Amino acid sequence: MSPPNSDLLAEDNLCGGTLLRIASRGSAIIAELLRLSSNIPPVFTQSSSTSSSSSSSAAKAEASSSEEGSEYSGLLFEFDYFKRPEDYESIVNKTDSLSGAEDAFQQTFSPILHRFYTLFSSIVTYHADLNSFLSDLSSGYYIQYTLDNLLQDVEGRQLLIETVYLYGSMLLLMEKHIPGPVRERIIVAHYRYTEGGEGALEDVDKVCKLCRSTNYTPGTPKPKKYESRLFKRLPLPPDFCKSILSRLLLDDVYLRSSAFPDPSHRSVRLFPQGSMVYVVLYFCTDLMMEDERGMREVVDRFFNDNWIISLYMGMTVDLSLEWASYPAAIKALLPTLAPKNVKILSNDNSELIKRCMSDLKVYLTEGQVTPQYVLDNTDNILNAVRRCNVALKWRLCHRRTQDPKLKGIIDPSVPEALVIKLLLRSAELEMKVKTIFKALLDGKQEKWDKCKEGVTGRMTELSDYFTGEKALTRVERDEGLIKWFAGLANEIGSLDINDFTVTGRKIQHCIQALEDVEQFEVIDRDLSIKAFLKDARDGLFQMVRAVNIKSSVLQILETSTDLSYAWAILPDYIPQLHALIKEDARTTVLLRSLFLKMSSMLDVPVLRIIQCSSPDALSVAEYYSNELVGYVRRVMEVIPVSVFKILTNIVVIKERRLKPLPVKLEVDLTKDYAQMDERYELAKLTHQVSVFTEGILAMEKTLLGIIQVDPRAILEDGLRKELVRQIAHAMDKALTFTSNTTPSETHDACVRAFSALSNRVNGYRLAIEYIQDYVDIAGLELWGGEMQRLMGYYSEQEANKYLQKKIYDSQSRYQSRAIPIPRFSPPPNDSNINFMGRAVSALLRMTDASTTIYSPECGGWFLRDGTEVMGISIISLLRTSISIPGLLGVDSLLSFRIVNELRQFLKFYNTKVKGFGVLLEQIRDGLFPEWKNIEDNGRLYNAAMKKLEAIMLPILISLRRIGQAQLMRKMVANEVLFRSRLDASMVQECLSSLDESMVSDIRKHYRDSSKPIPSEESPLLPALSTLLSANGHSDPLSKVYITTDPLEGLPIVLLIFITSYLGKLEYDPAFGSLRRTKTSYPLDGWPLVTGVATLLKQFHPSYATSVLAYLGQFVRSTVSSILSPQGSSSSKATQVADLPKEVVNCIVFMVQLSQTMRIDEATLYECIPRYLVETIGQDPKKQ
């Protein structure tokens, strides 16, 4: 039965539309598969897996690992989970670390797990839709179509074959890029965290059947015949697959004969079909097992001179390995794999490459390839292009052979450098020819009209000439020539460019007629007429050339120059491209032609999607375009790397080796200051920079897929990438400290590390600054942006240890594919993730409250003997080494530390302290009301301290850490604010004014609601807050870090806690601080005050008022008990001066606490008499 006459791809054709939608969806599914495969969370790819035994699972859960997300590894199960889900859930629930990580795991990975499951489900749906279409086709649902006549239709045959090929490619790509164990863990995890479980998941049984592990992991030996078992999970009808295979064997499905007419190019012409045959055979594995004659036919047609093939978008396959488990297939392939045959093929290819290089040398001679030359030599040029691409394809593919013996034959015959030169030069010729032909096609009609008008005009002028009536003519009237030239003019005017066959023949007749008419005596003796006739013939020749400008030539070029088979191969040659560019930087101009040649690859995956007008077209094109642009960046990055290295050497010469010229110079010293050798070296390096940058800037903007690539942007991104890499490595190497060191030892180590890093980072900054002079790129803007991104990323990753929902690279707003920030493994036995954590840890060791004393007057931390271990100088040195964004990163990490400590305190309070609830109520009742003095107060307080002694040390540790971090945050904010006022005073003043005006407006609004303020949706306040923090306009001590419910008895606990430790402190006026009386006491005054103030700031202000009231009651009661009621005022003053240390310390603590929390004096003096404060020399106004 012949195919129906209707167009299969017409919009109203139901059969064609359904088939086209299936094919387009297959291309979209593969793009999503490749996209997701590069974003598999690392925790799912860990080699260890949960064992079926409870003991091993628990051991795994408790094991620690430095890998990203390793804390979740105990929550990942393979399909064994479905056999005994209760056992696995019991293990998770019994393991505290796992049960606590469940919510964080779900929040972190649920979106990506949903995408993976949707992908697997889409493959199942694709298989079901394809089977449904075949069933409808066989049942007569599509009235005028059957399988047979659909296979006879060109488009129908292509679409049917592609749907099978795409389905098989999905399975192979899934197995390669998403290994079986990973698939199982993803599906089980998605199943566990989906509400409704199995009932809420679509096709879960089929998805599990499809994705079950095949026991093959990429990089390990393949199990025998595992592909056939994979393809049988969701099979296609065998008879349909055999029909498809038959068509592939018999037909030229894609009509590539015009592109490769030479019989010796048959395997290249049928290369796409060969890839499809390879995939379809896995649906008919009985042929590969037993049908030797059939496999011999397959090999003779497709694989008689090649055994390395490329599947969808460049996935290469070595048939000598893939068919090793199939007896009939490998037996048929053995003649092709014979070393003698391989040597012949390799030698023939080598000779072909030499011929191609010789041809290219001729064609690429300057001025050789012109429009006229291309029109005159189209066939020769097309043949040369075909030969180049045939030679390249065989060599590029077969250099990937896995057989060592065959590799030893193939690789030495042609050097890699020669292959790259052939690729670049052939791409240049193709680009030139395509550009010329496109221009000719665009101007074809205009050229035709112009030539036709000119020739017609010549004929009309000659007809008029022979009338004898024109001025200055001395010719007799000739009616015959008049009519003849007029008729020829009409003949030429009637020519139609679209009917090129008839038109070409007529033009040839006209040319011949014009040559014959010259034999007439009246014409032969008139040179002006002969010149007219020659112009007319030339015009007719140009018309012939215009007729021969056909779009089919471009189609042949597109087909013969297709490079989609090398999508995965070309990255192997990046080192050779880098070496070529380093050898001659002008080679970069040739790279544009290579990138344009590669951009043709993008037509393959989006062709059917565009035909279907699918909304997936943009996302698919964007994915492949980004991949191609990524390859371009990897190729071009050698230039910015080289430029950056040269600039670093220039900085060394200019900053260290060249002597600064004085204002006045003695003649005798001219030679010394000339430094000719250094200046020659500087000039040489400058010339090298100019050569590199000239090469890349000579490239034009190029459209790769849907993304336009700007060479200047590529250069800038490359410089950014190299800058980030250099700084990251320098910081990771420099900011490494030894743990368990004393504050003074840590201080010395930090000074050395910060100083060395500061010098190195300053060198990089100068190098980037000099770039402005060579490349016209805003160097300092580039520096600021990358430093902010770098510090933000490492701070963000370090903060992950405090977060329940982790932020991984794929989710980070700082990480970038184009300019990636490197990750580093931490040193052994280091709990920090990167150098930012190590720097913060070093600062915390230097300011350890158990061994140092903080002095607000001196602005730093000191040892007991007055030696400064941490102060403004260290913070300033740290700023020069990690910049302002680095200080803001330190500030951010300290904030996370404070939040973590506050949460730990609340957890401790709710679990441990609440058990003392009855005791706390008794103490509160004993102290009520707070304004009265307690009789026999010593007994009450001592008894309370003794009973609550067990919880005092954990509270001390927590509050000490909070206070330490807060004081460090305050110092960092002061440094940032100082630099802001110094380096950006106008910005700082503007922000201050805006902040004050916003606060004023908000206050007015709360006094009068009719006054406007920014709405909650307005980005003004968040943006202003961010800018203020970045400029140091922040007070850490006034921040509310967490929200919490009221804690019953907290003021009483803090009262007992403070009074318990006051006796271990003494006021030191030199430091202006309460310091420990013995070195063995692990506490310091100001961190303790700041810790208590921060904790109280998280609750209602009444908590702070209650704590002050209780402390004031303690002071008043103690003073009352020791003062003699009969004594004179002078004796009382003497007794007040001899107050117990606990009372003096308590007053100092209250004054410092009220000053830290900005509590007004009136509130303070309501709790303790003013004279007591003045007696011990404390004035809140001076604090």
Side-chain angles (χ1 to χ4, degrees), residues 876-935:
S876 180
L877 188 58
L878 178 63
R879 174 190 55 78
T880 60
S881 59
I882 64 174
S883 73
I884 292 294
L887 281 184
L888 296 176
V890 169
D891 181 75
S892 173
L893 292 177
L894 291 172
S895 299
F896 278 110
R897 179 182 174 87
I898 293 168
V899 171
N900 182 63
E901 290 296 335
L902 287 170
R903 286 175 177 165
Q904 294 296 325
F905 176 85
L906 295 178
K907 183 178 180 181
F908 171 79
Y909 195 95
N910 289 322
T911 55
K912 302 295 183 182
V913 179
K914 279 196 172 180
F916 297 91
V918 176
L919 175 62
L920 295 177
E921 287 187 13
Q922 293 175 353
I923 298 173
R924 183 175 58 190
D925 293 341
L927 298 176
F928 183 82
E930 295 89 344
W931 51 264
K932 76 171 185 178
N933 294 337
I934 307 299
E935 297 180 1

Side-chain angles (χ1 to χ4, degrees), residues 228 302 309 377 826 844 1138:
S228 61
F302 300 106
I309 63 173
N377 298 273
L844 292 174
D1138 297 330

Side-chain angles (χ1 to χ4, degrees), residues 447-461 489 492 532 535-540 543:
K447 183 177 182 180
W448 168 269
D449 294 339
K450 182 179 179 181
C451 292
K452 187 170 74 170
E453 182 182 352
V455 174
T456 304
R458 287 284 190 271
M459 295 301 100
T460 303
E461 290 177 12
I492 294 172
F532 262 60
D535 290 345
R537 287 197 302 273
D538 290 343
L540 289 172
M543 291 172 68

Side-chain angles (χ1 to χ4, degrees), residues 72-90:
Y72 303 132
S73 57
L75 298 172
L76 300 179
F77 311 105
E78 296 172 8
F79 279 177
D80 287 342
Y81 170 88
F82 292 119
K83 298 177 182 178
R84 301 184 311 278
E86 297 81 5
D87 295 344
Y88 286 92
E89 295 296 342
S90 176

Side-chain angles (χ1 to χ4, degrees), residues 576-804:
Q576 285 70 38
L577 287 169
H578 285 176
L580 199 61
I581 294 171
K582 287 181 178 179
E583 181 182 344
D584 184 5
R586 295 177 180 85
T587 308
T588 51
V589 179
L590 299 177
L591 292 177
R592 180 172 181 266
S593 57
L594 173 61
F595 299 149
L596 285 173
K597 181 180 177 71
M598 293 178 65
S599 65
S600 64
M601 301 178 184
L602 305 181
D603 297 337
V604 176
V606 299
L607 174 62
R608 299 303 184 189
I609 299 177
I610 293 174
Q611 287 179 341
C612 187
S613 301
S614 170
D616 295 326
L618 182 61
S619 65
V620 173
E622 184 179 18
Y623 167 72
Y624 288 110
S625 298
N626 281 324
E627 291 295 310
L628 183 54
V629 171
Y631 174 81
V632 172
R633 293 181 188 278
R634 293 198 300 274
V635 171
M636 302 299 291
E637 70 180 4
V638 65
I639 295 177
V641 168
S642 302
V643 169
F644 195 89
K645 185 177 180 181
I646 295 170
L647 287 172
T648 304
N649 294 332
I650 290 176
V651 170
V652 172
I653 294 174
K654 294 184 73 171
E655 298 296 325
R656 300 181 186 177
R657 292 169 57 184
L658 284 181
K659 299 177 182 178
L661 290 174
V663 178
K664 294 182 179 181
L665 182 64
E666 296 182 12
V667 177
D668 297 340
L669 300 177
T670 304
K671 186 175 181 181
D672 295 337
Y673 280 98
Q675 296 180 277
M676 300 304 294
D677 293 339
E678 287 78 2
R679 295 188 186 277
Y680 170 75
E681 186 177 353
L682 182 63
K684 185 178 178 182
L685 293 173
T686 303
H687 177 260
Q688 290 178 6
V689 171
S690 66
V691 170
F692 274 116
T693 55
E694 180 184 5
I696 194 170
L697 295 178
M699 293 177 61
E700 301 175 12
K701 292 182 179 180
T702 306
L703 185 66
L704 299 181
I706 62 172
I707 299 177
Q708 188 176 54
V709 176
D710 184 357
R712 184 179 294 274
I714 292 285
L715 177 60
E716 182 174 340
D717 288 350
L719 290 170
R720 289 177 182 272
K721 181 178 179 180
E722 183 62 13
L723 174 66
V724 166
R725 189 185 69 83
Q726 293 276 8
I727 294 178
H729 279 84
M731 289 185 174
D732 182 68
K733 184 178 179 181
L735 299 179
T736 302
F737 308 97
T738 305
S739 58
N740 300 323
T741 55
T742 63
S744 57
E745 292 171 342
T746 306
H747 170 270
D748 296 339
C750 286
V751 169
R752 290 192 300 269
F754 295 164
S755 299
L757 182 59
S758 176
N759 293 332
R760 191 164 184 181
V761 168
N762 186 58
Y764 292 141
R765 188 187 64 80
L766 290 173
I768 289 296
E769 188 175 352
Y770 286 145
I771 283 178
Q772 298 178 144
D773 302 328
Y774 296 101
V775 194
D776 191 24
I777 289 176
L780 291 181
E781 180 183 354
L782 183 151
W783 169 269
E786 291 310 307
M787 284 299 292
Q788 185 173 7
R789 195 170 67 91
L790 192 74
M791 296 297 107
Y793 171 76
Y794 286 117
S795 301
E796 177 186 76
Q797 295 303 304
E798 186 66 37
N800 271 341
K801 62 186 179 184
Y802 300 114
L803 297 178
Q804 187 179 37

Side-chain angles (χ1 to χ4, degrees), residues 1048-1094:
E1048 193 68 28
L1050 178 62
I1052 300 297
V1053 172
L1054 290 179
L1055 166 68
I1056 304 304
F1057 166 76
I1058 294 169
T1059 54
S1060 296
Y1061 287 102
L1062 286 177
K1064 299 178 180 180
L1065 297 169
E1066 63 181 1
Y1067 181 71
D1068 188 334
F1071 289 117
S1073 170
L1074 294 169
R1075 69 174 188 178
R1076 69 190 69 83
T1077 56
K1078 295 182 180 179
T1079 56
S1080 58
Y1081 293 158
L1083 73 164
D1084 184 32
W1086 271 106
L1088 204 60
V1089 171
T1090 310
V1092 172
T1094 304

Side-chain angles (χ1 to χ4, degrees), residues 45 89 92 133 223 244 257 299 333 356 375 388 468 540 657 663 669 796 820 923 962 1004 1021 1100 1139 1147:
T45 59
E89 295 296 342
V92 172
F133 173 81
I244 293 295
S257 299
V299 171
L333 193 64
C356 291
L375 287 174
C388 290
L540 289 172
R657 292 169 57 184
V663 178
L669 300 177
E796 177 186 76
I923 298 173
I962 294 171
K1004 289 178 181 178
L1021 290 180
H1100 192 272
L1139 290 175
I1147 296 173

